[in-house]
Amino acid sequence: MTEETLVLFKNIRNPKYDKSLAAYKNSGGFKSLKKVFGMKPEEVVQEVKESGIRGRGGAGFPTGLKWGFMAKGTGKPSYLVANADESEPGTCKDRELMLKDPHMFLEGLMIGCYAIGCHHGYVYVRGEYFASIKSLNVAVDELYADGLLGSDPLGSGFNLDITIHTGAGAYICGEESALLDSLEGKRGHPRVKPPFPAVSGFNGCPTSVNNVETLACMPFILGDNGAEAFKSFGPQNNSGTHLVSLSGHVNRPGVYELRMDVNMKDIIYEFGGGISNGKKLKGVIPGGSSSPVMTADEVDVLYNFDDLAKKGTMMGSAALIVFDEDTDVVKLLHRITRFYAHESCGQCTPCREGTHWSRQIVRDFLNGNGSDEKLERLNRVGGNMMGTTLCALGDAAAMPIQSFVKKFPEEFRKYYATV
Amino acid sequence: MPLFNEFSMPVFHIDGEPVEYEPGEKILSAALRCGKIIPHYCYHPGMSVVATCRMCLVDVVDLGNGRPAPKLQTACSMDAAEGMKVETLNPKVEEGRKLVNEFLLVNHPLDCPICDQSGECTLQDYAFEYGSGKSEMDYSKRVNGWRDIGTFVALERNRCIQCSRCDRFTREITGTNEFGMFNRGHELTVDTYSDRPMTNKFQGNMADICPVGAITEKEFRFKRRAWKLKKNRSICTGCSTGCNITIEHDRNEIFRLKPHENQNVNKWWLCDEGRLTYRMMNERKTRIHQPLGRVDGKLEAISWEEAYAAIAERVGDMSPLPEEVLALTDTHASNEELFLLQKLLKDIFSAENIFCPLPKWEQSESEFFINTLITTDKTPNRAGALALKIKGDATSAKLKKAIEAELKVVFVLGNPFEAEVEVLEKIKKAQLVVHLGTFHNSWNDIADVVLPGQYYSEKEGTFTNKDQRVQATEVAVQALRRTRPEWRILADLSSALGQESSYGSSADVFNVMTKQVKAFSGLSYAEICGSGKELTQRTKDSGMKVVKAQT
Ligand SMILES: Cc1cc2nc3c(=O)[nH]c(=O)nc-3n(C[C@H](O)[C@H](O)[C@H](O)COP(=O)(O)O)c2cc1C
Ligand code: SF4
Ligand code: SF4
Ligand code: SF4
Ligand code: FES
């Protein structure tokens, strides 16, 4: 299969599309919202459950279930916050949506707000995404001018506001509870869970945090026969099309919209046009820098949540990073450990100390001071961050370390073996 | 671990032993309450749970539904649940603690030999217990350096383990928000905002709650190793709150005062002003060292026997009428001492004129509990005096009238009314002025006999705080050789003046007092020695005004 399946990108792939509200409406936009306004919120949540959509932010948690968990009858307002902090290395799909078709995402956000009874939705955008921020602000202005936001859109009687909030450039603010702290104006530090945001989130009120792409799927899912169609785009439990950010040593890197039953090999060789400069493949990082690395002979696998999990890795945010035979794996790992050492919020012990220490050890290899003992130590330090931290960043930092040491031990040895 | 015959609360199990918990209580909190120690750094019962140090990892082998938790859990943040089974000693947990402690030591200077926390440092303790003894850290350690953050405490950031207790303290306990966490990742550190020194009046508590030697008391630094200090329970007499303290001393010198937890009084805290009163306790220069008698207009050293005999003789010669006898006291005297003074007047002279300055004061309300600790009221046993119906203030008509009389015998306990020139002038004219006190003051200039008493750190006594709670002090250090506790002096005086008394201890006096004074009835000394007990019959303090919180 070498064709994209266009749901989220149906407008973006249309060269004539100008992302204005008028153009979006022309393409059938806001029909779903209108339909949703005629449904009960529980029915909307039920539709979303039926579609089987799993969150596209990295964890793959079923969105319908998440919305179903929202605390009810608390007497407090509920909030929906779109997670647009996209910063997992390799991931660049939310940017496409916000930049090139903001209305589809915003319609999804509005559907979500209606489903969970939220009258004020927030978009927390990564601070460096200047163009996306502009694009979103223009789109939101259009919606207010058109009466689709504000009081009583489409005569629904459902008042709704949306605020675009920009982050200040921290990966950890993509973690949902740190995001909420940051949105509240505090330091972006992940919170202890429970309570989960669904019970106590933004300003202590029930909150759902959802990825941009997850929300952008809503207009389709709530469209005619949408849930059924969505489910048909992939194997069981892996519904829908999704956006794959393909990067690294391929001839045609980019964001592709694919069904969930596409083979990873095909993504690299068909969509990506094969390894650049005619080189051979050495390995891939399948789902953003935190996912365990795979070697060239492991790439024959369906690219979805469950099939990758069976291989001991994960799809994460669907950021497929490809590297060729000339790649220095130790340098690659050093770059990754540097990232996590820089982005750890530092509040919990194993992550604060472990990310930095492991980076120091990898650098030692690059400096020619490696040894068997240090390789073992690197693996141990990485492993000690696994499962012992407050938020998943500790795991995210641990997984690449352990997998690189396991899959490419020879590459490390090259740095210190006497010839 | 107490054995429960009957459980009134729900129960879960820690290492096979049943533990009661309140619904919503966390594993660690329930464990600590029944004396089960689970190593921890960031958790503090008085502040929010952040679960960041990760030291309190435990193995929840049964969540209460028959299934185990998938990985180790932090006991400080996990709710206890009916039927839950928690293991805190198995190899998995040991492994978890080891790895957390190793991480904490990776960048820790381990300069214990020159660190004041040494000996009372949880990091040090756990490093002994869970450390491997050798470091695998080959690289230079993080350096953040020393910061001058306030009047009372010093900050050595290299030793900080980023537990955020100090940060939460100024946010949640004092509400002053002057201290916080800066930077992120392995550079995360603590400091004051904008380089401004801290202003809160409770900084010493930050040294207490800092589990390591990052925040230490400036007063105490480099003076004594913690393990040399002996500790005695006492009550701070800096103001009428009566915070529970431990007096920490070595070789008869007091080095610091630390709060002793009492949920009904000071919780875990103490104010800096109170901490500084330890200096007074070590003061020797201005102390009265031995009994003094006035010979040819000058005070000269005499023996106790001479002093008592002289007083008895003079009193015998004068045989004063009740209105010719007067006693003045301050509220640094214990309940027992006030009681004996009152009794002495009544039994020997049938006199009732006893006065004590009780200035008006204000109790400010505050949304932050700690602010109610320091009061403007520096009369520590005010409520005790009121309970004994000892009143007065320099302007009161009764006192004015009393000093107008032809005074023959005046007893002065402590340092009352010292700024009231008129009172002093009048009393000067009395024929016999007996002063019982610890420090030299203006009363000495007019006293005929001076009897040296003892400071509260040197004797037993009970004090009644502003909430009418009676609390006890114990002997922490030895007093000067030729001084005696005031309760003993008053008892001796009574004997010398013809009314035999045979109190063996301050507690004996207390027991008599509970029988003779209605306000104190029903109290037992043993009860009071724990965390104090409130008077059942409260006396209203008309000098107290509650001021609403300013917002
Ligand atoms: C360290 C860390 C970084 C994360 N960064 C992002 C991010 O940039 N964008 C995102 O959508 N989710 C991110 N997540 C996942 C969010 O916590 C959350 O699961 C997600 O926003 C939920 O949305 P979804 O259910 O739609 O996937 C991150 C999680 C962690 C632990
Ligand atoms: S795991 Fe890392 S990023 Fe997450 S809370 Fe702990 S220190 Fe912060
Ligand atoms: S903080 Fe504790 S472990 Fe660190 S130097 Fe001081 S005593 Fe030693
Ligand atoms: S200074 Fe002490 S209390 Fe504050 S974070 Fe560091 S270790 Fe914790
Ligand atoms: S005490 Fe539980 S994590 Fe610090």
Side-chain angles (χ1 to χ4, degrees):
Chain A
M1 199 181 306
T2 54
E3 287 286 300
E4 281 189 293
T5 308
L6 297 180
V7 171
L8 298 165
F9 274 3
K10 73 174 176 105
N11 296 329
I12 293 177
R13 289 290 185 250
N14 173 0
K16 294 203 192 87
Y17 186 69
D18 71 355
K19 81 171 177 179
S20 67
L21 179 55
Y24 181 63
K25 279 185 173 168
N26 261 339
S27 75
F30 288 105
K31 271 198 196 131
S32 299
L33 182 67
K34 194 161 186 179
K35 179 183 156 202
V36 161
F37 280 153
M39 294 163 73
K40 287 205 198 101
E42 309 85 79
E43 291 169 352
V44 181
V45 175
Q46 190 53 38
E47 273 299 293
V48 175
K49 277 187 188 159
E50 234 128 75
S51 77
I53 182 171
R54 293 168 66 174
R56 307 295 196 227
F61 191 81
T63 308
L65 214 53
K66 191 187 248 185
W67 288 353
F69 285 154
M70 290 288 287
K72 286 169 200 79
T74 56
K76 292 179 189 163
S78 297
Y79 290 104
L80 180 62
V81 181
N83 189 342
D85 194 53
E86 184 166 70
S87 6
E88 173 83 7
T91 319
C92 51
K93 63 193 175 68
D94 297 342
R95 185 183 58 176
E96 293 289 295
L97 291 169
M98 294 186 285
L99 201 56
K100 298 181 180 163
D101 195 8
H103 285 297
M104 181 182 282
F105 155 56
L106 289 171
E107 184 185 355
L109 175 59
M110 292 160 77
I111 292 171
C113 286
Y114 182 79
I116 63 168
C118 156
H119 293 278
H120 197 152
Y122 287 86
V123 184
Y124 186 96
V125 202
R126 174 178 174 165
E128 297 92 333
Y129 272 5
F130 303 114
S132 302
I133 293 162
K134 194 170 164 210
S135 162
L136 284 172
N137 276 320
V138 169
V140 166
D141 287 348
E142 280 181 299
L143 290 174
Y144 273 108
D146 190 78
L148 274 162
L149 280 178
S151 65
D152 196 21
L154 300 174
S156 61
F158 185 84
N159 299 346
L160 181 59
D161 288 299
I162 286 178
T163 300
I164 310 294
H165 181 97
T166 57
Y171 170 64
I172 194 58
C173 289
E175 195 281 334
E176 54 185 6
S177 60
L179 181 149
L180 294 173
D181 261 10
S182 171
L183 190 61
E184 288 174 13
K186 300 177 185 147
R187 284 168 69 81
H189 277 186
R191 303 174 180 174
V192 198
K193 280 164 265 177
F196 288 93
V199 174
S200 174
F202 182 54
N203 287 338
C205 303
T207 304
S208 176
V209 180
N210 292 93
N211 174 258
V212 169
E213 184 190 339
T214 311
L215 293 170
C217 294
M218 294 306 152
F220 181 84
I221 291 173
L222 272 304
D224 294 330
N225 204 19
E228 269 311 303
F230 198 78
K231 221 164 27 181
S232 72
F233 292 140
Q236 212 192 355
N237 250 339
N238 295 272
S239 290
T241 60
H242 66 154
L243 301 179
V244 179
S245 316
L246 178 63
S247 66
H249 300 140
V250 284
N251 283 317
R252 284 194 302 274
V255 181
Y256 296 94
E257 181 170 18
L258 304 176
R259 295 164 55 100
M260 291 238 200
D261 50 11
V262 180
N263 194 300
M264 183 152 80
K265 211 171 59 196
D266 294 335
I267 304 180
I268 301 166
Y269 292 101
E270 303 296 336
F271 292 95
I275 311 301
S276 44
N277 301 324
K279 294 273 168 57
K280 276 205 285 231
L281 176 69
K282 184 180 234 168
V284 296
I285 298 172
S289 62
S290 36
S291 57
V293 69
M294 301 169 90
T295 56
D297 30 324
E298 293 176 295
V299 298
D300 187 4
V301 57
L302 291 191
Y303 193 74
N304 61 38
F305 291 112
D306 293 344
D307 284 273
L308 284 168
K310 270 183 229 144
K311 290 267 177 182
T313 181
M314 55 192 251
M315 192 176 74
S317 54
L320 179 54
I321 304 168
V322 177
F323 52 93
D324 70 17
E325 53 185 336
D326 290 348
T327 308
D328 184 331
V329 168
V330 182
K331 275 189 184 153
L332 177 56
L333 181 62
H334 182 242
R335 186 64 194 84
I336 293 174
T337 52
R338 245 178 81 196
F339 174 78
Y340 289 109
H342 186 255
E343 297 298 340
S344 160
C345 84
Q347 63 175 339
C348 64
T349 308
C351 170
R352 173 181 68 245
E353 306 296 344
T355 50
H356 182 66
W357 193 11
S358 52
R359 187 199 133 220
Q360 286 175 307
I361 301 174
V362 182
R363 195 178 48 192
D364 232 9
F365 280 90
L366 297 179
N367 290 342
N369 298 324
S371 65
D372 285 344
E373 197 192 345
K374 279 182 187 163
L375 193 57
E376 210 169 289
R377 184 179 307 156
L378 177 61
N379 197 35
R380 184 175 70 83
V381 171
N384 284 354
M385 286 188 275
M386 191 79 200
T388 55
T389 55
L390 181 68
C391 85
L393 193 140
D395 300 345
M399 287 184 289
I401 295 174
Q402 290 193 299
S403 63
F404 271 75
V405 172
K406 184 170 162 213
K407 303 235 164 123
F408 299 99
E410 285 315 313
E411 301 262 335
F412 290 86
R413 288 198 189 109
K414 258 192 256 163
Y415 269 94
Y416 59 88
T418 40
V419 200
Chain B
M1 172 73 209
L3 278 175
F4 302 102
N5 303 323
E6 221 173 23
F7 297 103
S8 51
M9 296 195 284
V11 172
F12 73 115
H13 285 77
I14 299 181
D15 300 324
E17 293 173 72
V19 173
E20 286 186 302
Y21 68 94
E22 284 166 26
E25 196 174 6
K26 309 291 178 193
I27 295 173
L28 181 56
S29 159
L32 293 175
R33 201 164 31 71
C34 62
K36 179 108 200 156
I37 304 293
I38 298 173
H40 61 277
Y41 297 111
C42 68
Y43 172 80
H44 187 284
M47 301 189 290
S48 62
V49 170
V50 288
T52 53
C53 75
R54 317 306 286 177
M55 189 61 186
C56 65
L57 294 172
V58 291
D59 194 1
V60 182
V61 292
D62 183 345
L63 287 158
N65 57 8
R67 279 188 305 236
K71 53 182 187 179
L72 295 178
Q73 301 289 323
T74 44
C76 66
S77 66
M78 186 163 204
D79 288 339
E82 185 82 59
M84 180 181 263
K85 291 193 178 68
V86 178
E87 291 187 2
T88 72
L89 300 164
N90 71 23
K92 229 166 111 188
V93 176
E94 298 261 311
E95 200 45 50
R97 286 176 191 162
K98 262 190 196 144
L99 76 87
V100 171
N101 230 52
E102 179 187 24
F103 275 136
L104 284 173
L105 294 179
V106 166
N107 275 298
H108 190 84
L110 275 174
D111 52 349
C112 309
I114 54 156
C115 175
D116 268 284
Q117 194 79 1
S118 197
E120 51 185 2
C121 172
T122 36
L123 183 63
Q124 192 183 46
D125 295 347
Y126 296 146
F128 268 112
E129 208 164 326
Y130 303 106
S132 69
K134 75 177 173 43
S135 170
E136 294 199 0
M137 167 75 177
D138 301 339
Y139 319 108
S140 54
K141 296 195 174 195
R142 168 176 64 219
V143 177
N144 279 321
W146 192 86
R147 300 280 292 150
D148 192 3
I149 52 166
T151 44
F152 208 81
V153 286
L155 174 63
E156 179 49 83
R157 293 190 297 181
N158 291 341
R159 298 191 190 122
C160 172
I161 57 167
Q162 288 83 11
C163 74
S164 87
R165 278 181 172 187
C166 50
D167 164 62
R168 279 174 282 152
F169 180 80
T170 69
R171 276 188 286 124
E172 299 168 14
I173 305 300
T174 63
T176 46
N177 295 298
E178 69 246 88
F179 199 80
M181 314 287 291
F182 291 79
N183 304 331
R184 68 181 192 201
H186 113 290
E187 281 159 13
L188 183 72
T189 186
V190 290
D191 206 343
T192 57
Y193 288 106
S194 314
D195 284 341
R196 266 174 290 182
M198 292 197 291
T199 52
N200 80 67
K201 299 188 181 90
F202 305 96
Q203 296 167 23
N205 298 300
M206 296 169 75
D208 295 344
I209 59 176
C210 178
V212 293
I215 301 183
T216 51
E217 277 181 55
K218 282 185 178 171
E219 280 287 313
F220 177 69
R221 269 154 60 95
F222 313 133
K223 292 206 179 129
R224 205 49 119 235
R225 306 282 12 189
W227 58 86
K228 297 234 178 195
L229 298 173
K230 291 175 263 316
K231 299 171 187 187
N232 287 95
R233 286 283 306 275
S234 199
I235 304 299
C236 177
T237 59
C239 76
S240 59
T241 303
C243 290
N244 290 211
I245 55 173
T246 44
I247 297 180
E248 306 200 355
H249 54 96
D250 179 38
R251 298 183 189 205
N252 226 33
E253 185 181 350
I254 292 168
F255 287 91
R256 62 180 180 186
L257 307 181
K258 287 267 178 190
H260 182 95
E261 182 187 338
N262 186 336
Q263 287 305 312
N264 290 306
V265 184
N266 51 312
K267 300 199 171 172
W268 304 268
W269 321 119
L270 203 59
C271 78
D272 293 343
E273 199 182 310
R275 282 175 205 261
L276 282 177
T277 58
Y278 88 99
R279 290 181 182 168
M280 280 293 275
M281 301 177 182
N282 291 330
E283 171 62 41
R284 289 287 177 271
K285 266 200 212 118
T286 55
R287 280 292 288 270
I288 308 169
H289 288 247
Q290 71 272 308
L292 304 167
R294 199 166 291 278
V295 181
D296 298 331
K298 269 173 69 186
L299 284 179
E300 286 188 6
I302 52 174
S303 73
W304 279 100
E305 287 64 39
E306 286 169 329
Y308 290 147
I311 294 168
E313 193 187 320
R314 295 283 299 277
V315 169
D317 289 349
M318 287 185 282
S319 35
L321 297 168
E323 61 273 19
E324 292 166 344
V325 179
L326 176 70
L328 303 177
T329 176
D330 66 16
T331 52
H332 284 269
S334 68
N335 293 320
E336 296 75 27
E337 290 159 358
L338 292 173
F339 169 69
L340 285 184
L341 180 63
Q342 195 174 39
K343 202 164 153 55
L344 178 77
L345 248 63
K346 219 181 270 167
D347 292 357
I348 310 289
F349 305 99
S350 309
E352 282 187 343
N353 277 339
I354 168 162
F355 295 96
C356 168
L358 295 173
K360 288 194 173 26
W361 65 289
E362 291 177 345
Q363 171 73 67
S364 325
E365 286 183 336
S366 171
E367 63 172 309
F368 294 99
F369 162 80
I370 206 166
N371 289 336
T372 63
L373 287 189
I374 311 184
T375 78
T376 54
D377 181 25
K378 304 300 174 198
T379 54
N381 201 15
R382 175 189 190 99
L386 286 170
L388 286 158
K389 302 200 166 57
I390 300 174
K391 292 190 187 140
D393 122 43
T395 57
S396 91
K398 259 196 166 166
L399 174 63
K400 278 222 163 86
K401 191 168 153 240
I403 56 175
E404 286 307 329
E406 285 275 321
L407 290 174
K408 287 199 172 137
V409 185
V410 178
F411 294 98
V412 180
L413 180 55
N415 194 15
F417 303 110
E418 63 160 347
E420 306 299 332
V421 187
E422 200 195 338
V423 179
L424 267 102
E425 281 303 313
K426 286 268 156 55
I427 301 228
K428 209 173 184 172
K429 298 196 191 106
Q431 304 201 5
L432 173 65
V433 179
V434 180
H435 177 221
L436 287 73
T438 40
F439 295 100
H440 285 288
N441 57 41
S442 20
W443 286 110
N444 289 2
D445 303 337
I446 59 176
D448 299 293
V449 182
V450 178
L451 303 174
Q454 299 179 344
Y455 209 57
Y456 78 94
S457 45
E458 302 159 351
K459 64 183 178 190
E460 286 182 339
T462 67
F463 290 81
T464 314
N465 83 349
K466 62 180 181 189
D467 297 319
Q468 318 255 334
R469 175 173 289 268
V470 186
Q471 313 186 96
T473 64
E474 34 177 75
V475 178
V477 289
Q478 238 176 359
L480 292 162
R481 208 155 34 92
R482 276 177 289 177
T483 62
R484 290 183 182 173
E486 281 86 338
W487 63 266
R488 154 126 306 155
I489 303 174
L490 288 162
D492 289 349
L493 274 176
S494 172
S495 298
L497 293 170
Q499 172 96 18
E500 252 334 292
S501 71
S502 56
Y503 302 112
S505 67
S506 183
D508 288 349
V509 183
F510 181 85
N511 290 334
V512 172
M513 181 173 72
T514 57
K515 294 203 182 73
Q516 298 188 1
V517 183
K518 217 167 141 214
F520 289 94
S521 66
L523 296 180
S524 84
Y525 198 77
E527 246 177 0
I528 283 156
C529 287
S531 53
K533 188 123 208 248
E534 277 183 35
L535 292 177
T536 39
Q537 316 216 348
R538 304 174 72 90
T539 328
K540 201 173 156 354
D541 184 354
S542 54
M544 194 248 283
K545 194 173 120 198
V546 177
V547 188
K548 288 260 170 311
Q550 288 160 342
T551 38

